């Protein structure tokens, strides 16, 4: 993954995935390893179950804001949707129409009124789904169910590795998330989150994602509004409780429908871009960053990508502060972005310090950044925020790291060592 396409927090990725329907899978996905590909497929089905007409995409945000450009100036690759290239290799004896899928959902819902808004059966290009507005007497809420199968490629299905995971760190704005293994070996994640990570509208988006040992994949999503966005909130919570979400996703009736989905010949996955020569692993960057932090801060959490990026949440006793860093070799071609405000050091290194507002919607959030480019093309951009989560409001007046701290970290000779490709 290009380091200029920094990972959004889990809630960003899930919320954006819920916004999209059909077409190409345009999520950048952070992991280039198999785990990342699996999460991509999970979010792809989440996207395909969302209400038709939504076109919001996953954010591609760099630590240094708009200064980040794709490698070699090329646009980010757009992986192809697996569903869009579905090629039947066998004709099942039973098919289920769109109305069959809707009727199954209606039978499994609690008592109330249901109005269909969209549906697909097993004989269509995209996987089956049913979407509608459900009212249990406490207000309308949108409910959707998407169905698909996961192919094992001869290696067997490990449900716990395939199911959508819960957030990995403290940056996600969720009310609850549980992943568990059921008695039949299936894995299920029940997630209680929000449509918008910055909570500019308090629409709740709850989901249940289930994967069975046979590769059946069921994704249920619900909102406390008649639509995922653009409609007023009509109830405090979505209509189904977490327990009801779990029961709906794990209902046996979905298995027969999934079995009727024509088998597909998996398309050849696009080759993952090779790590840039000289790239540091994310784990190495995180280790070095921790060593370079001021002694007075305490690290609360942290994480990294495969290469070139890491982040930590620190606290100096006055509140949490997010710190992000990108270390990118081979960036000489962006030297032109360093304008007259750049400081040029004796060895030719150029460095710029910036104080800017946050760009993720959190009220009062500011971002302080040091951006350094060495003559050998190594670029280090390190930013600090006055909040532990830039999707949320500021929790302190200024970041825990000063501009002087950030400059020292960006110019540290530590980044010139251990340049081994992971």
């Amino acid at each position: 993954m290009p380091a200029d396409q920094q990972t959004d927090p889990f809630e960003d990725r899930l919320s954006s995935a819920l916004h999209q329907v059909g077409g190409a899978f345009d999520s950048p996905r952070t992991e280039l390893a198999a785990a990342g590909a699996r999460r991509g497929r999970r979010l792809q089905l989440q996207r395909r179950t969302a209400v038709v007409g939504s076109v919001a995409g996953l954010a591609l945000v760099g630590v240094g804001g708009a200064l980040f450009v794709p490698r070699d100036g090329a646009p980010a690759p757009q992986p192809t949707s697996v569903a869009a290239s579905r090629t039947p290799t066998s004709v099942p004896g039973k098919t289920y129409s769109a109305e069959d899928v809707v009727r199954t959902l209606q039978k499994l819902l609690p008592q109330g009124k249901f109005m269909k808004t969209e549906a697909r059966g097993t004989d269509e290009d995209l996987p089956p789904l049913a979407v509608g507005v459900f009212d249990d007497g406490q207000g309308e809420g949108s409910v959707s169910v998407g169905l698909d199968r996961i192919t094992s490629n001869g290696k067997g299905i490990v449900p716990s590795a395939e199911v959508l995971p819960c957030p990995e760190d403290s940056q996600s704005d969720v009310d609850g998330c549980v992943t568990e293994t059921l008695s039949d070996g299936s894995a299920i994640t029940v997630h209680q989150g929000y449509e918008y990570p910055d909570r500019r509208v308090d629409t709740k988006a709850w989901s249940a994602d289930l994967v069975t040992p046979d590769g059946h994949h069921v994704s249920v999503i619900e909102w406390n509004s008649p639509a995922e966005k653009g409609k007023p909130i009509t109830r405090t919570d979505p209509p189904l409780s977490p327990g009801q979400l779990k029961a709906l996703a794990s209902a046996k009736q979905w298995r027969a429908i999934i079995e009727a989905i024509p088998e597909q010949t998996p398309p050849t996955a696009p080759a993952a871009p090779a790590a840039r020569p000289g790239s540091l692993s994310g784990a190495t960057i995180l280790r070095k960053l921790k060593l370079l932090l001021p002694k007075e801060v305490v690290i609360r959490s942290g994480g990294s990508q495969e290469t070139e990026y890491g982040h930590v949440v620190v606290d100096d006793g006055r509140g949490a502060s997010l710190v992000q860093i990108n270390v990118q070799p081979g960036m000489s071609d962006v030297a032109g972005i360093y304008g007259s405000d750049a400081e040029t050091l004796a060895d030719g290194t150029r460095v710029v310090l910036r104080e800017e507002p946050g760009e993720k919607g959190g009220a009062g959030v500011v971002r302080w950044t040091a951006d350094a480019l060495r003559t050998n093309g190594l670029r280090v951009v390190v930013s600090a925020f006055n909040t532990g989560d830039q999707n949320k409001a500021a929790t302190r007046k200024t970041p825990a790291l000063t501009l002087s701290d950030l400059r020292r970290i960006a110019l540290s000779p530590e980044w010139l060592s251990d340049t081994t490709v992971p």
Side-chain angles (χ1 to χ4, degrees), residues 165-365:
C166 281
E168 296 175 348
D169 55 40
S170 61
Q171 291 194 46
S172 294
D173 187 8
V174 299
D175 290 336
C177 188
V178 176
T179 299
E180 60 180 303
T181 300
L182 305 182
S183 59
D184 66 352
S186 299
I188 187 169
T189 295
V190 177
H191 176 268
Q192 296 170 264
Y194 293 84
E195 177 67 16
Y196 298 98
D198 60 11
R199 302 283 293 277
R200 60 186 181 273
V201 178
D202 209 28
T203 305
K204 296 181 180 180
W206 293 3
S207 66
D209 191 69
L210 176 131
V211 176
T212 75
D214 293 325
H216 303 140
H217 181 209
V218 181
S219 181
V220 182
I221 313 168
E222 60 169 347
W223 294 265
N224 59 335
S225 170
E228 58 170 321
K229 67 178 185 177
K231 295 288 186 179
I233 293 172
T234 50
R235 48 189 300 139
T236 302
D237 292 326
L240 304 180
S241 68
Q244 290 172 316
L245 268 178
K246 176 182 174 181
L248 178 58
S250 57
K252 304 298 183 182
Q253 289 87 332
W254 302 124
R255 315 291 173 89
I257 298 176
I258 295 172
E259 283 297 320
I261 298 174
E263 293 182 4
Q264 62 184 29
T265 302
T268 302
R276 237 181 307 211
S279 291
L280 293 175
S281 71
T284 297
I285 290 173
L286 193 59
R287 173 176 58 81
K288 290 177 178 290
L289 174 61
K290 291 178 178 179
L291 292 174
L292 294 171
L293 291 171
K295 300 301 182 184
E296 61 269 20
V297 303
V298 175
I299 298 172
R300 298 301 186 193
S301 63
S304 63
Q305 292 180 2
E306 290 291 312
T307 62
E308 302 184 355
Y309 170 77
H311 78 270
V312 292
V313 176
V314 302
D315 193 335
D316 59 357
R318 291 180 290 176
S321 179
L322 173 64
V323 179
Q324 300 174 327
I325 185 166
N326 268 74
V327 181
Q328 302 173 291
M331 297 296 288
S332 297
D333 57 342
V334 303
I337 68 176
Y338 295 82
S340 59
D341 58 338
E343 174 188 4
T344 302
L345 307 184
D347 65 357
T349 298
R350 307 190 72 184
V351 59
V352 175
L353 305 180
R354 296 184 179 86
E355 298 182 33
E356 303 166 304
E359 57 184 15
K360 305 286 289 209
V365 173

Side-chain angles (χ1 to χ4, degrees), residues 86 90 92 94 122 127-128 147-149 256-263:
R86 181 180 300 274
S90 65
K94 172 69 175 176
T122 59
L147 310 172
D148 206 351
R149 77 162 85 236
I257 298 176
I258 295 172
E259 283 297 320
I261 298 174
E263 293 182 4

